Amino acid sequence: MGTFMGHFLVGFFSICFSLWWTVQTWIRYFRSRMKDGPKFKCTVTFPCSCLCGRLKHWPIEGFLKVVAMGISFFGEIVLLGGEFGSVNGQHCTMYFFYGMSGIIDILMFFNILLPKGMDYVATILAVTVEGLLLGFHLHHREELEVVLHTLLLYVIFVAVLAVLAEMYFKTSPLALFVRSFTWILQGTWFVQLGFILYNPIPGAKTWDLKAEHSEKMIVSMIFSWHIAGVFLLMLIIGIIVKACIRCRESECNHDAIAMQSLLLKDSNGHSVLHMYDSELESEVEYQRTRTSGRSETDEL
């Protein structure tokens, strides 16, 4: 991860997974607010309902975690020319724990004799190890680099608390939203770290890593804008999801009304229900006339 691509890759995967969680959390939340809707429940992973057949119920997210771990492992070794030292060894260790959480997700889906909540334990373990490795990653670093990674440590600490809260308060959407928030923020800040420490843009101004006070203030300000941006992004996603759900409900209601209209009309546009009532009345009148005729014949 000691390159721009190393930071960008980690940030990219973190953003992708957390955006998926955000969308699914909003969908689950809005459905729980509907009349007779399902009760809100937190889960580590979400089924991919956009897939077909049995795949929509499979732990696709767990498989993707394992794939992301493999790509990050491979990239970490290849980008450093095949060498495996203490720095990229730490990074690979972090990838391994996140990949292991994906394996636990898969095993939990297939009920491989694991205790309930083990997927949460694996996620907490992965985040805790990330924070541990990052903490020792700061020794003998320049001041600005220490500040940048310390801010990331704060986010990781909140992420651990969020997952713990989610584990014990399974019906609280706030815990799940905070988890998604911290992972998006981790991802965006990893990308920001890549641009500050290893800017790939030719001719871009380099940062002074010895960090004067003014540059520390700028970094903290940029971090605050990341927080605001992530928060607004999650709100916008919620608005879009709500609009999509309303649009879908409107289409379903329109289809139901159209179906009722079709059921009540024949091919000539006449009301089938009205025709049925008219035919029924005619049949009753005919039976009355017939009965009356028989009575008159009997009297004669």
Side-chain angles (χ1 to χ4, degrees):
M1 199 158 46
T3 62
F4 172 79
M5 280 306 299
H7 285 81
F8 179 82
L9 197 62
V10 174
F12 173 77
F13 285 131
S14 181
I15 291 171
C16 287
F17 280 108
S18 50
L19 286 178
W20 167 252
W21 297 339
T22 303
V23 172
Q24 294 300 314
T25 303
W26 278 119
I27 292 174
R28 191 172 288 184
Y29 171 72
F30 287 129
R31 285 179 176 171
S32 69
R33 297 294 299 273
M34 294 178 181
K35 185 178 180 181
D36 299 325
K39 189 176 181 181
F40 186 91
K41 184 180 180 182
C42 296
T43 53
V44 174
T45 60
F46 295 87
C48 191
S49 57
C50 56
L51 297 177
C52 301
R54 294 182 180 179
L55 286 177
K56 67 172 61 177
H57 303 295
W58 274 49
I60 302 298
E61 196 175 319
F63 288 111
L64 289 177
K65 284 181 183 179
V66 177
V67 171
M69 177 198 69
I71 294 173
S72 301
F73 241 107
F74 179 77
E76 189 71 35
I77 301 301
V78 170
L79 289 174
L80 293 180
E83 297 179 2
F84 190 84
S86 58
V87 176
N88 61 346
Q90 276 197 325
H91 301 157
C92 290
T93 301
M94 183 182 74
Y95 304 148
F96 169 78
F97 275 88
Y98 275 106
M100 186 174 66
S101 72
I103 294 173
I104 296 298
D105 294 338
I106 297 170
L107 295 178
M108 290 289 290
F109 175 80
F110 290 107
N111 296 320
I112 311 295
L113 299 178
L114 291 176
K116 187 178 179 180
M118 184 59 71
D119 46 355
Y120 278 103
V121 173
T123 303
I124 293 171
L125 192 62
V127 188
T128 304
V129 169
E130 179 189 359
L132 175 68
L133 296 173
L134 192 61
F136 285 97
H137 192 69
L138 302 181
H139 291 293
H140 305 294
R141 298 278 179 169
E142 298 290 351
E143 283 191 54
L144 184 60
E145 193 170 355
V146 171
V147 172
L148 291 167
H149 286 84
T150 300
L151 293 173
L152 187 59
L153 272 175
Y154 295 157
V155 181
I156 292 172
F157 176 73
V158 177
V160 173
L161 294 180
V163 179
L164 282 170
E166 185 184 336
M167 184 177 180
Y168 287 100
F169 302 101
K170 291 288 186 68
T171 59
S172 172
L174 287 178
L176 197 44
F177 279 126
V178 173
R179 192 235 294 184
S180 302
F181 176 88
T182 56
W183 254 269
I184 297 176
L185 187 57
Q186 277 191 70
T188 60
W189 195 242
F190 264 120
V191 175
Q192 184 70 66
L193 281 173
F195 276 103
I196 292 177
L197 300 176
Y198 312 99
N199 200 324
I201 302 174
K205 182 182 177 181
T206 57
W207 288 68
D208 181 12
L209 297 182
K210 293 183 180 179
E212 296 181 0
H213 180 66
S214 60
E215 291 193 329
K216 290 181 181 179
M217 291 177 64
I218 293 172
V219 166
S220 62
M221 181 181 65
I222 293 173
F223 182 74
S224 300
W225 280 108
H226 274 260
I227 293 174
V230 172
F231 185 75
L232 290 175
L233 176 63
M234 292 182 68
L235 289 180
I236 292 171
I237 291 173
I239 294 171
I240 295 173
V241 169
K242 179 62 175 178
C244 291
I245 290 175
R246 279 188 176 179
C247 182
R248 188 172 180 180
E249 285 181 349
S250 177
E251 289 179 357
C252 291
N253 292 335
H254 182 270
D255 291 342
I257 294 171
M259 183 61 70
Q260 286 182 345
S261 178
L262 287 173
L263 290 173
L264 295 176
K265 290 187 178 182
D266 64 359
S267 59
N268 295 321
H270 298 110
S271 174
V272 175
L273 186 59
H274 177 70
M275 290 176 63
Y276 176 77
D277 290 341
S278 300
E279 290 175 0
L280 184 60
E281 290 175 1
S282 300
E283 181 67 23
V284 171
E285 187 64 30
Y286 171 74
Q287 292 294 339
R288 285 178 180 173
T289 305
R290 190 176 178 183
T291 304
S292 177
R294 284 182 179 177
S295 298
E296 291 177 358
T297 304
D298 293 339
E299 288 175 1
L300 291 175

